Amino acid sequence: MSTIISGTIQEERALIRKTVRNARNTLSKSEQKDAEAALCINFFHYIKLPKPAHIALYLSNDGELDTNQLIQYLIDKNHHVYLPIIHPFDGTTLLFQRYEKNSPMIANRYAILEPKLNCSHICPLYSLDYLFTPLVAFDEFGNRLGMGGGYYDKTLANYHKTGATKPVIVGLAHDCQKVHQLPIAAWDVPLKHILTPSKLYTW
Ligand SMILES: Nc1nc2c(c(=O)[nH]1)N(C=O)[C@@H](CNc1ccc(C(=O)N[C@@H](CCC(=O)O)C(=O)O)cc1)CN2
Ligand SMILES: Nc1ncnc2c1ncn2[C@@H]1O[C@H](COP(=O)(O)OP(=O)(O)OP(=O)(O)O)[C@@H](O)[C@H]1O
């Protein structure tokens, strides 16, 4: 999808968020199911996993590409899956905690379920093999626009500066979340990979 816009950067970002969130929320139940299944096929086709792999994902919200089936497959194959928790002290960055079938869950301030904090189940960023991020919109250059909280950008800011190669960061999105070019901000962390139900983008 491509959008022509003008105005201040913040106004443009707000408009793109609104348009693309609306587009993904308009997908029908069967389109969402097909996308979820296609994501699983593409995931196992493109993503080379060590055994066991340490993989951060997210629980879908607001029409995001559904990760439920993928998470279940990964757990069934004995990989270690982690979900984001909004940091209990700073409230602005994310921690990644192990998620298993019986993990106690709690709703965060956005009503998204996250594992109930257990410090011994937190995985430091550098121990993750892959980190899959949600996003609202992405562009042809690998730029990413999120929900507007800055959580992933803040969490990944230091990682990005060091040039670390692990975890590999991959955005997940529906194809309809692509725009030609996003107005970017200084703190935006561009992505090297985005996986959609139809393809893997790599920059
Ligand atoms: N599935 C999922 N989990 C995630 C994220 C995400 O984007 N998707 N996040 C990515 O960072 C973090 C949560 N960030 C979020 C930021 C804003 C909203 C949201 O719904 N905002 C409302 C306004 C809420 C309010 O009134 O405060 C909105 O914009 O409508 C949701 C999640 C961590 N977990
Ligand atoms: N590395 C950073 N350091 C300080 N502030 C930041 C950083 N990254 C983002 N922010 C702040 O967070 C706010 C939201 O950022 P932005 O709109 O880019 O979030 P987003 O990418 O949509 O959200 P998310 O990363 O949670 O998916 C910005 O107003 C910015 O001030």
Side-chain angles (χ1 to χ4, degrees):
M1 137 175 224
S2 83
T3 319
I4 299 169
I5 32 158
S6 61
T8 67
I9 283 191
Q10 289 317 321
E11 283 166 353
E12 290 180 11
R13 286 161 72 91
L15 181 58
I16 294 171
R17 272 196 192 95
K18 196 171 161 199
T19 311
V20 179
R21 283 178 67 179
N22 187 48
R24 72 183 184 189
N25 273 301
T26 309
L27 294 170
S28 68
K29 270 215 166 97
S30 80
E31 285 170 322
Q32 276 285 4
K33 279 280 154 215
D34 290 349
E36 183 182 14
L39 169 68
C40 290
I41 292 168
N42 272 349
F43 185 98
F44 290 106
H45 178 72
Y46 288 115
I47 309 292
K48 300 294 163 238
L49 298 176
K51 258 209 143 191
H54 299 270
I55 307 163
L57 273 150
Y58 61 87
L59 291 185
S60 316
N61 172 55
D62 188 57
E64 287 167 347
L65 186 51
D66 200 328
T67 52
N68 258 302
Q69 204 179 88
L70 177 60
I71 290 173
Q72 296 317 320
Y73 278 140
L74 289 168
I75 292 176
D76 289 346
K77 288 176 187 281
N78 297 318
H79 292 298
H80 295 203
V81 171
Y82 302 83
L83 294 177
I85 292 188
I86 297 177
H87 198 294
F89 303 140
D90 74 24
T92 66
T93 59
L94 300 172
L95 297 171
F96 295 93
Q97 184 169 311
R98 180 89 185 264
Y99 170 71
E100 293 170 283
K101 284 190 175 149
N102 298 321
S103 297
M105 304 294 282
I106 188 163
N108 68 18
R109 70 182 70 155
Y110 304 108
I112 302 172
L113 287 181
E114 49 180 52
K116 190 166 181 295
L117 182 66
N118 176 335
C119 294
S120 64
H121 293 170
I122 301 279
C123 185
L125 207 52
Y126 57 79
S127 296
L128 290 170
D129 296 301
Y130 286 92
L131 190 164
F132 291 87
T133 78
L135 57 90
V136 171
F138 67 99
D139 72 13
E140 291 172 7
F141 311 94
N143 296 305
R144 165 189 181 278
L145 183 70
M147 288 290 279
Y151 294 101
Y152 278 93
D153 285 329
K154 285 177 204 151
T155 305
L156 298 177
N158 288 332
Y159 156 90
H160 184 57
K161 278 184 221 139
T162 64
T165 52
K166 230 184 90 170
V168 177
I169 301 180
V170 184
L172 289 184
H174 291 288
D175 291 286
C176 68
Q177 290 172 242
K178 179 164 166 283
V179 301
H180 168 54
Q181 187 161 19
L182 286 168
I184 54 168
W187 56 79
D188 284 335
V189 175
L191 295 172
K192 289 213 175 82
H193 310 278
I194 292 181
L195 187 62
T196 74
S198 77
K199 67 182 280 188
L200 174 72
Y201 293 85
T202 295
W203 288 272

